PDB file of all heavy atoms in Angstrom:
ATOM      1  N   PRO A  26      39.242  47.399 -16.771  1.00 88.00           N
ATOM      2  CA  PRO A  26      38.864  47.404 -15.346  1.00 88.00           C
ATOM      3  C   PRO A  26      39.115  46.074 -14.644  1.00 88.00           C
ATOM      4  O   PRO A  26      38.683  45.883 -13.515  1.00 88.00           O
ATOM      5  CB  PRO A  26      37.375  47.698 -15.405  1.00 88.00           C
ATOM      6  CG  PRO A  26      36.934  46.960 -16.640  1.00 88.00           C
ATOM      7  CD  PRO A  26      38.085  47.072 -17.630  1.00 88.00           C
ATOM      8  N   LEU A  27      39.829  45.153 -15.312  1.00 89.00           N
ATOM      9  CA  LEU A  27      39.981  43.806 -14.767  1.00 89.00           C
ATOM     10  C   LEU A  27      41.066  43.714 -13.697  1.00 89.00           C
ATOM     11  O   LEU A  27      40.869  43.096 -12.652  1.00 89.00           O
ATOM     12  CB  LEU A  27      40.285  42.821 -15.908  1.00 89.00           C
ATOM     13  CG  LEU A  27      39.214  42.683 -16.989  1.00 89.00           C
ATOM     14  CD1 LEU A  27      39.689  41.751 -18.095  1.00 89.00           C
ATOM     15  CD2 LEU A  27      37.909  42.173 -16.380  1.00 89.00           C
ATOM     16  N   LEU A  28      42.236  44.328 -13.971  1.00 92.00           N
ATOM     17  CA  LEU A  28      43.374  44.179 -13.076  1.00 92.00           C
ATOM     18  C   LEU A  28      43.943  45.539 -12.695  1.00 92.00           C
ATOM     19  O   LEU A  28      44.166  46.380 -13.577  1.00 92.00           O
ATOM     20  CB  LEU A  28      44.475  43.335 -13.748  1.00 92.00           C
ATOM     21  CG  LEU A  28      44.130  41.883 -14.086  1.00 92.00           C
ATOM     22  CD1 LEU A  28      45.254  41.246 -14.884  1.00 92.00           C
ATOM     23  CD2 LEU A  28      43.850  41.074 -12.818  1.00 92.00           C
ATOM     24  N   PRO A  29      44.208  45.766 -11.417  1.00 93.00           N
ATOM     25  CA  PRO A  29      44.851  47.019 -11.002  1.00 93.00           C
ATOM     26  C   PRO A  29      46.352  46.950 -11.257  1.00 93.00           C
ATOM     27  O   PRO A  29      46.891  45.879 -11.575  1.00 93.00           O
ATOM     28  CB  PRO A  29      44.541  47.072  -9.498  1.00 93.00           C
ATOM     29  CG  PRO A  29      44.416  45.642  -9.103  1.00 93.00           C
ATOM     30  CD  PRO A  29      43.824  44.927 -10.278  1.00 93.00           C
ATOM     31  N   PRO A  30      47.063  48.045 -11.132  1.00 91.00           N
ATOM     32  CA  PRO A  30      48.528  48.011 -11.276  1.00 91.00           C
ATOM     33  C   PRO A  30      49.154  47.170 -10.166  1.00 91.00           C
ATOM     34  O   PRO A  30      48.612  47.040  -9.077  1.00 91.00           O
ATOM     35  CB  PRO A  30      48.931  49.483 -11.153  1.00 91.00           C
ATOM     36  CG  PRO A  30      47.683  50.261 -11.415  1.00 91.00           C
ATOM     37  CD  PRO A  30      46.554  49.413 -10.921  1.00 91.00           C
ATOM     38  N   GLY A  31      50.319  46.607 -10.448  1.00 90.00           N
ATOM     39  CA  GLY A  31      51.021  45.800  -9.462  1.00 90.00           C
ATOM     40  C   GLY A  31      51.571  44.530 -10.085  1.00 90.00           C
ATOM     41  O   GLY A  31      50.885  43.876 -10.892  1.00 90.00           O
ATOM     42  N   GLY A  32      52.810  44.193  -9.718  1.00 91.00           N
ATOM     43  CA  GLY A  32      53.459  43.048 -10.336  1.00 91.00           C
ATOM     44  C   GLY A  32      52.737  41.737 -10.112  1.00 91.00           C
ATOM     45  O   GLY A  32      52.691  40.878 -11.004  1.00 91.00           O
ATOM     46  N   ILE A  33      52.144  41.546  -8.936  1.00 93.00           N
ATOM     47  CA  ILE A  33      51.506  40.263  -8.648  1.00 93.00           C
ATOM     48  C   ILE A  33      50.300  40.005  -9.548  1.00 93.00           C
ATOM     49  O   ILE A  33      49.941  38.855  -9.807  1.00 93.00           O
ATOM     50  CB  ILE A  33      51.098  40.200  -7.160  1.00 93.00           C
ATOM     51  CG1 ILE A  33      50.798  38.743  -6.775  1.00 93.00           C
ATOM     52  CG2 ILE A  33      49.892  41.110  -6.865  1.00 93.00           C
ATOM     53  CD1 ILE A  33      50.645  38.511  -5.310  1.00 93.00           C
ATOM     54  N   PHE A  34      49.694  41.071 -10.075  1.00 95.00           N
ATOM     55  CA  PHE A  34      48.524  40.903 -10.935  1.00 95.00           C
ATOM     56  C   PHE A  34      48.894  40.440 -12.342  1.00 95.00           C
ATOM     57  O   PHE A  34      48.013  40.092 -13.131  1.00 95.00           O
ATOM     58  CB  PHE A  34      47.732  42.205 -10.985  1.00 95.00           C
ATOM     59  CG  PHE A  34      47.241  42.653  -9.638  1.00 95.00           C
ATOM     60  CD1 PHE A  34      47.773  43.777  -9.021  1.00 95.00           C
ATOM     61  CD2 PHE A  34      46.268  41.935  -8.964  1.00 95.00           C
ATOM     62  CE1 PHE A  34      47.337  44.185  -7.781  1.00 95.00           C
ATOM     63  CE2 PHE A  34      45.828  42.326  -7.711  1.00 95.00           C
ATOM     64  CZ  PHE A  34      46.366  43.458  -7.114  1.00 95.00           C
ATOM     65  N   THR A  35      50.188  40.435 -12.658  1.00 94.00           N
ATOM     66  CA  THR A  35      50.617  39.933 -13.969  1.00 94.00           C
ATOM     67  C   THR A  35      50.527  38.412 -14.050  1.00 94.00           C
ATOM     68  O   THR A  35      50.628  37.847 -15.140  1.00 94.00           O
ATOM     69  CB  THR A  35      52.060  40.360 -14.275  1.00 94.00           C
ATOM     70  OG1 THR A  35      52.951  39.766 -13.309  1.00 94.00           O
ATOM     71  CG2 THR A  35      52.201  41.872 -14.231  1.00 94.00           C
ATOM     72  N   LEU A  36      50.342  37.743 -12.896  1.00 95.00           N
ATOM     73  CA  LEU A  36      50.294  36.276 -12.908  1.00 95.00           C
ATOM     74  C   LEU A  36      49.141  35.752 -13.750  1.00 95.00           C
ATOM     75  O   LEU A  36      49.272  34.718 -14.413  1.00 95.00           O
ATOM     76  CB  LEU A  36      50.173  35.750 -11.485  1.00 95.00           C
ATOM     77  CG  LEU A  36      51.446  35.348 -10.747  1.00 95.00           C
ATOM     78  CD1 LEU A  36      52.078  34.125 -11.369  1.00 95.00           C
ATOM     79  CD2 LEU A  36      52.439  36.492 -10.717  1.00 95.00           C
ATOM     80  N   ALA A  37      47.998  36.445 -13.757  1.00 96.00           N
ATOM     81  CA  ALA A  37      46.842  35.969 -14.522  1.00 96.00           C
ATOM     82  C   ALA A  37      47.101  36.034 -16.026  1.00 96.00           C
ATOM     83  O   ALA A  37      47.004  35.007 -16.713  1.00 96.00           O
ATOM     84  CB  ALA A  37      45.592  36.764 -14.136  1.00 96.00           C
ATOM     85  N   PRO A  38      47.433  37.201 -16.594  1.00 96.00           N
ATOM     86  CA  PRO A  38      47.700  37.217 -18.040  1.00 96.00           C
ATOM     87  C   PRO A  38      48.923  36.399 -18.426  1.00 96.00           C
ATOM     88  O   PRO A  38      48.934  35.768 -19.495  1.00 96.00           O
ATOM     89  CB  PRO A  38      47.899  38.709 -18.354  1.00 96.00           C
ATOM     90  CG  PRO A  38      48.202  39.355 -17.053  1.00 96.00           C
ATOM     91  CD  PRO A  38      47.481  38.559 -16.018  1.00 96.00           C
ATOM     92  N   ALA A  39      49.950  36.389 -17.565  1.00 96.00           N
ATOM     93  CA  ALA A  39      51.137  35.585 -17.879  1.00 96.00           C
ATOM     94  C   ALA A  39      50.794  34.102 -17.896  1.00 96.00           C
ATOM     95  O   ALA A  39      51.258  33.348 -18.770  1.00 96.00           O
ATOM     96  CB  ALA A  39      52.241  35.863 -16.861  1.00 96.00           C
ATOM     97  N   GLY A  40      49.962  33.669 -16.930  1.00 96.00           N
ATOM     98  CA  GLY A  40      49.564  32.269 -16.897  1.00 96.00           C
ATOM     99  C   GLY A  40      48.733  31.870 -18.102  1.00 96.00           C
ATOM    100  O   GLY A  40      48.937  30.791 -18.677  1.00 96.00           O
ATOM    101  N   LEU A  41      47.796  32.724 -18.490  1.00 97.00           N
ATOM    102  CA  LEU A  41      46.960  32.419 -19.655  1.00 97.00           C
ATOM    103  C   LEU A  41      47.787  32.392 -20.941  1.00 97.00           C
ATOM    104  O   LEU A  41      47.603  31.505 -21.788  1.00 97.00           O
ATOM    105  CB  LEU A  41      45.840  33.455 -19.765  1.00 97.00           C
ATOM    106  CG  LEU A  41      44.779  33.389 -18.665  1.00 97.00           C
ATOM    107  CD1 LEU A  41      43.846  34.607 -18.760  1.00 97.00           C
ATOM    108  CD2 LEU A  41      43.981  32.102 -18.760  1.00 97.00           C
ATOM    109  N   LEU A  42      48.694  33.354 -21.095  1.00 97.00           N
ATOM    110  CA  LEU A  42      49.545  33.392 -22.291  1.00 97.00           C
ATOM    111  C   LEU A  42      50.453  32.170 -22.343  1.00 97.00           C
ATOM    112  O   LEU A  42      50.604  31.528 -23.392  1.00 97.00           O
ATOM    113  CB  LEU A  42      50.370  34.676 -22.293  1.00 97.00           C
ATOM    114  CG  LEU A  42      51.369  34.836 -23.447  1.00 97.00           C
ATOM    115  CD1 LEU A  42      50.629  34.881 -24.783  1.00 97.00           C
ATOM    116  CD2 LEU A  42      52.205  36.088 -23.254  1.00 97.00           C
ATOM    117  N   SER A  43      51.064  31.840 -21.199  1.00 96.00           N
ATOM    118  CA  SER A  43      51.948  30.686 -21.142  1.00 96.00           C
ATOM    119  C   SER A  43      51.191  29.402 -21.434  1.00 96.00           C
ATOM    120  O   SER A  43      51.645  28.568 -22.234  1.00 96.00           O
ATOM    121  CB  SER A  43      52.613  30.610 -19.760  1.00 96.00           C
ATOM    122  OG  SER A  43      53.507  29.528 -19.687  1.00 96.00           O
ATOM    123  N   GLY A  44      50.017  29.229 -20.807  1.00 96.00           N
ATOM    124  CA  GLY A  44      49.243  28.011 -21.015  1.00 96.00           C
ATOM    125  C   GLY A  44      48.816  27.831 -22.458  1.00 96.00           C
ATOM    126  O   GLY A  44      48.927  26.732 -23.021  1.00 96.00           O
ATOM    127  N   LEU A  45      48.358  28.920 -23.088  1.00 97.00           N
ATOM    128  CA  LEU A  45      47.900  28.831 -24.476  1.00 97.00           C
ATOM    129  C   LEU A  45      49.039  28.467 -25.418  1.00 97.00           C
ATOM    130  O   LEU A  45      48.911  27.574 -26.262  1.00 97.00           O
ATOM    131  CB  LEU A  45      47.258  30.158 -24.899  1.00 97.00           C
ATOM    132  CG  LEU A  45      46.797  30.255 -26.356  1.00 97.00           C
ATOM    133  CD1 LEU A  45      45.727  29.219 -26.647  1.00 97.00           C
ATOM    134  CD2 LEU A  45      46.276  31.659 -26.669  1.00 97.00           C
ATOM    135  N   THR A  46      50.169  29.153 -25.285  1.00 96.00           N
ATOM    136  CA  THR A  46      51.289  28.894 -26.190  1.00 96.00           C
ATOM    137  C   THR A  46      51.895  27.512 -25.967  1.00 96.00           C
ATOM    138  O   THR A  46      52.312  26.850 -26.921  1.00 96.00           O
ATOM    139  CB  THR A  46      52.368  29.976 -26.034  1.00 96.00           C
ATOM    140  OG1 THR A  46      52.746  30.078 -24.647  1.00 96.00           O
ATOM    141  CG2 THR A  46      51.870  31.323 -26.519  1.00 96.00           C
ATOM    142  N   VAL A  47      51.943  27.060 -24.708  1.00 96.00           N
ATOM    143  CA  VAL A  47      52.460  25.712 -24.441  1.00 96.00           C
ATOM    144  C   VAL A  47      51.570  24.661 -25.095  1.00 96.00           C
ATOM    145  O   VAL A  47      52.063  23.704 -25.710  1.00 96.00           O
ATOM    146  CB  VAL A  47      52.578  25.467 -22.924  1.00 96.00           C
ATOM    147  CG1 VAL A  47      52.763  23.974 -22.637  1.00 96.00           C
ATOM    148  CG2 VAL A  47      53.741  26.243 -22.347  1.00 96.00           C
ATOM    149  N   LEU A  48      50.266  24.809 -24.986  1.00 96.00           N
ATOM    150  CA  LEU A  48      49.362  23.836 -25.601  1.00 96.00           C
ATOM    151  C   LEU A  48      49.513  23.818 -27.122  1.00 96.00           C
ATOM    152  O   LEU A  48      49.413  22.752 -27.750  1.00 96.00           O
ATOM    153  CB  LEU A  48      47.919  24.156 -25.215  1.00 96.00           C
ATOM    154  CG  LEU A  48      47.555  23.918 -23.736  1.00 96.00           C
ATOM    155  CD1 LEU A  48      46.123  24.375 -23.466  1.00 96.00           C
ATOM    156  CD2 LEU A  48      47.748  22.459 -23.355  1.00 96.00           C
ATOM    157  N   ILE A  49      49.774  24.977 -27.708  1.00 96.00           N
ATOM    158  CA  ILE A  49      50.013  25.020 -29.161  1.00 96.00           C
ATOM    159  C   ILE A  49      51.289  24.267 -29.505  1.00 96.00           C
ATOM    160  O   ILE A  49      51.339  23.461 -30.452  1.00 96.00           O
ATOM    161  CB  ILE A  49      50.088  26.483 -29.646  1.00 96.00           C
ATOM    162  CG1 ILE A  49      48.721  27.159 -29.514  1.00 96.00           C
ATOM    163  CG2 ILE A  49      50.581  26.539 -31.090  1.00 96.00           C
ATOM    164  CD1 ILE A  49      48.729  28.635 -29.838  1.00 96.00           C
ATOM    165  N   VAL A  50      52.350  24.505 -28.736  1.00 93.00           N
ATOM    166  CA  VAL A  50      53.631  23.828 -28.982  1.00 93.00           C
ATOM    167  C   VAL A  50      53.486  22.327 -28.807  1.00 93.00           C
ATOM    168  O   VAL A  50      54.011  21.531 -29.602  1.00 93.00           O
ATOM    169  CB  VAL A  50      54.713  24.397 -28.038  1.00 93.00           C
ATOM    170  CG1 VAL A  50      55.944  23.491 -28.028  1.00 93.00           C
ATOM    171  CG2 VAL A  50      55.103  25.805 -28.457  1.00 93.00           C
ATOM    172  N   LEU A  51      52.759  21.901 -27.775  1.00 93.00           N
ATOM    173  CA  LEU A  51      52.596  20.468 -27.522  1.00 93.00           C
ATOM    174  C   LEU A  51      51.824  19.766 -28.634  1.00 93.00           C
ATOM    175  O   LEU A  51      51.953  18.542 -28.804  1.00 93.00           O
ATOM    176  CB  LEU A  51      51.889  20.258 -26.182  1.00 93.00           C
ATOM    177  CG  LEU A  51      52.684  20.617 -24.929  1.00 93.00           C
ATOM    178  CD1 LEU A  51      51.834  20.403 -23.681  1.00 93.00           C
ATOM    179  CD2 LEU A  51      53.968  19.803 -24.836  1.00 93.00           C
ATOM    180  N   SER A  52      51.033  20.515 -29.380  1.00 92.00           N
ATOM    181  CA  SER A  52      50.295  19.900 -30.488  1.00 92.00           C
ATOM    182  C   SER A  52      51.224  19.401 -31.590  1.00 92.00           C
ATOM    183  O   SER A  52      50.829  18.590 -32.420  1.00 92.00           O
ATOM    184  CB  SER A  52      49.277  20.896 -31.061  1.00 92.00           C
ATOM    185  OG  SER A  52      49.937  21.985 -31.703  1.00 92.00           O
ATOM    186  N   PHE A  53      52.466  19.897 -31.600  1.00 89.00           N
ATOM    187  CA  PHE A  53      53.451  19.465 -32.592  1.00 89.00           C
ATOM    188  C   PHE A  53      54.365  18.364 -32.054  1.00 89.00           C
ATOM    189  O   PHE A  53      55.285  17.937 -32.747  1.00 89.00           O
ATOM    190  CB  PHE A  53      54.308  20.648 -33.043  1.00 89.00           C
ATOM    191  CG  PHE A  53      53.550  21.694 -33.797  1.00 89.00           C
ATOM    192  CD1 PHE A  53      53.030  22.797 -33.139  1.00 89.00           C
ATOM    193  CD2 PHE A  53      53.329  21.569 -35.169  1.00 89.00           C
ATOM    194  CE1 PHE A  53      52.321  23.779 -33.830  1.00 89.00           C
ATOM    195  CE2 PHE A  53      52.623  22.534 -35.865  1.00 89.00           C
ATOM    196  CZ  PHE A  53      52.108  23.638 -35.195  1.00 89.00           C
ATOM    197  N   MET A  54      54.134  17.924 -30.819  1.00 87.00           N
ATOM    198  CA  MET A  54      54.970  16.895 -30.200  1.00 87.00           C
ATOM    199  C   MET A  54      54.187  15.593 -30.126  1.00 87.00           C
ATOM    200  O   MET A  54      52.995  15.589 -29.809  1.00 87.00           O
ATOM    201  CB  MET A  54      55.428  17.344 -28.812  1.00 87.00           C
ATOM    202  CG  MET A  54      56.310  18.582 -28.863  1.00 87.00           C
ATOM    203  SD  MET A  54      56.627  19.339 -27.238  1.00 87.00           S
ATOM    204  CE  MET A  54      57.574  18.046 -26.439  1.00 87.00           C
ATOM    205  N   SER A  55      54.859  14.499 -30.406  1.00 82.00           N
ATOM    206  CA  SER A  55      54.204  13.210 -30.547  1.00 82.00           C
ATOM    207  C   SER A  55      54.412  12.339 -29.316  1.00 82.00           C
ATOM    208  O   SER A  55      55.538  12.159 -28.855  1.00 82.00           O
ATOM    209  CB  SER A  55      54.759  12.482 -31.781  1.00 82.00           C
ATOM    210  OG  SER A  55      54.379  11.130 -31.788  1.00 82.00           O
ATOM    211  N   ASN A  56      53.313  11.782 -28.799  1.00 84.00           N
ATOM    212  CA  ASN A  56      53.420  10.811 -27.711  1.00 84.00           C
ATOM    213  C   ASN A  56      54.271   9.614 -28.118  1.00 84.00           C
ATOM    214  O   ASN A  56      55.116   9.144 -27.356  1.00 84.00           O
ATOM    215  CB  ASN A  56      52.034  10.319 -27.308  1.00 84.00           C
ATOM    216  CG  ASN A  56      51.368  11.208 -26.268  1.00 84.00           C
ATOM    217  OD1 ASN A  56      51.980  11.585 -25.286  1.00 84.00           O
ATOM    218  ND2 ASN A  56      50.110  11.535 -26.496  1.00 84.00           N
ATOM    219  N   ARG A  57      54.070   9.124 -29.308  1.00 76.00           N
ATOM    220  CA  ARG A  57      54.772   7.921 -29.765  1.00 76.00           C
ATOM    221  C   ARG A  57      56.263   8.156 -29.910  1.00 76.00           C
ATOM    222  O   ARG A  57      57.069   7.285 -29.593  1.00 76.00           O
ATOM    223  CB  ARG A  57      54.175   7.441 -31.089  1.00 76.00           C
ATOM    224  CG  ARG A  57      52.717   7.019 -31.003  1.00 76.00           C
ATOM    225  CD  ARG A  57      52.215   6.544 -32.344  1.00 76.00           C
ATOM    226  NE  ARG A  57      52.926   5.368 -32.798  1.00 76.00           N
ATOM    227  CZ  ARG A  57      52.782   4.844 -34.019  1.00 76.00           C
ATOM    228  NH1 ARG A  57      51.968   5.397 -34.886  1.00 76.00           N
ATOM    229  NH2 ARG A  57      53.452   3.759 -34.357  1.00 76.00           N
ATOM    230  N   ALA A  58      56.629   9.336 -30.402  1.00 74.00           N
ATOM    231  CA  ALA A  58      58.051   9.601 -30.626  1.00 74.00           C
ATOM    232  C   ALA A  58      58.808   9.913 -29.345  1.00 74.00           C
ATOM    233  O   ALA A  58      60.005   9.654 -29.243  1.00 74.00           O
ATOM    234  CB  ALA A  58      58.209  10.770 -31.606  1.00 74.00           C
ATOM    235  N   LEU A  59      58.122  10.461 -28.343  1.00 78.00           N
ATOM    236  CA  LEU A  59      58.803  10.961 -27.152  1.00 78.00           C
ATOM    237  C   LEU A  59      58.571  10.109 -25.911  1.00 78.00           C
ATOM    238  O   LEU A  59      59.005  10.484 -24.822  1.00 78.00           O
ATOM    239  CB  LEU A  59      58.356  12.405 -26.878  1.00 78.00           C
ATOM    240  CG  LEU A  59      58.771  13.408 -27.956  1.00 78.00           C
ATOM    241  CD1 LEU A  59      58.168  14.773 -27.682  1.00 78.00           C
ATOM    242  CD2 LEU A  59      60.279  13.508 -28.046  1.00 78.00           C
ATOM    243  N   SER A  60      57.913   8.973 -26.049  1.00 72.00           N
ATOM    244  CA  SER A  60      57.676   8.077 -24.923  1.00 72.00           C
ATOM    245  C   SER A  60      58.366   6.749 -25.180  1.00 72.00           C
ATOM    246  O   SER A  60      58.524   6.320 -26.322  1.00 72.00           O
ATOM    247  CB  SER A  60      56.174   7.856 -24.704  1.00 72.00           C
ATOM    248  OG  SER A  60      55.512   9.079 -24.468  1.00 72.00           O
ATOM    249  N   MET A  61      58.767   6.085 -24.099  1.00 65.00           N
ATOM    250  CA  MET A  61      59.350   4.756 -24.184  1.00 65.00           C
ATOM    251  C   MET A  61      58.245   3.707 -24.098  1.00 65.00           C
ATOM    252  O   MET A  61      57.169   3.976 -23.576  1.00 65.00           O
ATOM    253  CB  MET A  61      60.353   4.544 -23.048  1.00 65.00           C
ATOM    254  CG  MET A  61      61.593   5.422 -23.139  1.00 65.00           C
ATOM    255  SD  MET A  61      62.659   4.956 -24.519  1.00 65.00           S
ATOM    256  CE  MET A  61      63.250   3.370 -23.933  1.00 65.00           C
ATOM    257  N   PRO A  62      58.510   2.482 -24.582  1.00 60.00           N
ATOM    258  CA  PRO A  62      57.520   1.412 -24.393  1.00 60.00           C
ATOM    259  C   PRO A  62      57.282   1.176 -22.908  1.00 60.00           C
ATOM    260  O   PRO A  62      58.209   1.245 -22.096  1.00 60.00           O
ATOM    261  CB  PRO A  62      58.189   0.193 -25.043  1.00 60.00           C
ATOM    262  CG  PRO A  62      59.229   0.753 -25.958  1.00 60.00           C
ATOM    263  CD  PRO A  62      59.684   2.035 -25.334  1.00 60.00           C
ATOM    264  N   THR A  63      56.029   0.907 -22.547  1.00 60.00           N
ATOM    265  CA  THR A  63      55.702   0.700 -21.140  1.00 60.00           C
ATOM    266  C   THR A  63      56.298  -0.606 -20.636  1.00 60.00           C
ATOM    267  O   THR A  63      56.443  -1.576 -21.382  1.00 60.00           O
ATOM    268  CB  THR A  63      54.180   0.672 -20.939  1.00 60.00           C
ATOM    269  OG1 THR A  63      53.625  -0.375 -21.731  1.00 60.00           O
ATOM    270  CG2 THR A  63      53.575   2.002 -21.354  1.00 60.00           C
ATOM    271  N   LYS A  64      56.661  -0.617 -19.346  1.00 61.00           N
ATOM    272  CA  LYS A  64      57.237  -1.801 -18.719  1.00 61.00           C
ATOM    273  C   LYS A  64      56.398  -2.181 -17.503  1.00 61.00           C
ATOM    274  O   LYS A  64      55.817  -1.331 -16.850  1.00 61.00           O
ATOM    275  CB  LYS A  64      58.684  -1.535 -18.285  1.00 61.00           C
ATOM    276  CG  LYS A  64      59.626  -1.195 -19.437  1.00 61.00           C
ATOM    277  CD  LYS A  64      61.045  -1.018 -18.933  1.00 61.00           C
ATOM    278  CE  LYS A  64      61.160   0.133 -17.975  1.00 61.00           C
ATOM    279  NZ  LYS A  64      62.540   0.347 -17.487  1.00 61.00           N
ATOM    280  N   GLY A  65      56.396  -3.456 -17.200  1.00 59.00           N
ATOM    281  CA  GLY A  65      55.545  -3.947 -16.125  1.00 59.00           C
ATOM    282  C   GLY A  65      56.200  -3.909 -14.755  1.00 59.00           C
ATOM    283  O   GLY A  65      56.539  -4.953 -14.198  1.00 59.00           O
ATOM    284  N   SER A  66      56.414  -2.745 -14.211  1.00 64.00           N
ATOM    285  CA  SER A  66      56.925  -2.628 -12.842  1.00 64.00           C
ATOM    286  C   SER A  66      55.904  -1.875 -12.008  1.00 64.00           C
ATOM    287  O   SER A  66      55.012  -1.221 -12.531  1.00 64.00           O
ATOM    288  CB  SER A  66      58.265  -1.897 -12.824  1.00 64.00           C
ATOM    289  OG  SER A  66      58.113  -0.572 -13.276  1.00 64.00           O
ATOM    290  N   ARG A  67      56.045  -1.971 -10.688  1.00 70.00           N
ATOM    291  CA  ARG A  67      55.096  -1.361  -9.783  1.00 70.00           C
ATOM    292  C   ARG A  67      55.682  -0.106  -9.155  1.00 70.00           C
ATOM    293  O   ARG A  67      56.890   0.017  -8.976  1.00 70.00           O
ATOM    294  CB  ARG A  67      54.704  -2.351  -8.695  1.00 70.00           C
ATOM    295  CG  ARG A  67      53.970  -3.581  -9.228  1.00 70.00           C
ATOM    296  CD  ARG A  67      53.572  -4.503  -8.087  1.00 70.00           C
ATOM    297  NE  ARG A  67      52.823  -5.671  -8.568  1.00 70.00           N
ATOM    298  CZ  ARG A  67      52.343  -6.623  -7.784  1.00 70.00           C
ATOM    299  NH1 ARG A  67      52.546  -6.551  -6.464  1.00 70.00           N
ATOM    300  NH2 ARG A  67      51.681  -7.636  -8.302  1.00 70.00           N
TER     301      ARG A  67
END
């Protein structure tokens, strides 16, 4: 009873599925390996 039919209502489950899987994938990615040393510019 949560969502009626209609394409626009897929945004909620699609967003939750995308967010969850992205966070899982990011857990395997390293800040140290994928970032450059910081530089002192403004």
Side-chain angles (χ1 to χ4, degrees):
L27 298 176
L28 296 173
I33 196 169
F34 300 110
T35 63
L36 265 292
L41 291 171
L42 177 63
S43 182
L45 177 62
T46 54
V47 165
L48 291 176
I49 293 174
V50 166
L51 291 178
S52 67
F53 294 94
M54 297 169 65
S55 167
N56 273 313
R57 297 181 63 188
L59 295 174
S60 302
M61 293 291 291
T63 59
K64 298 183 297 181
S66 64
R67 296 182 178 181

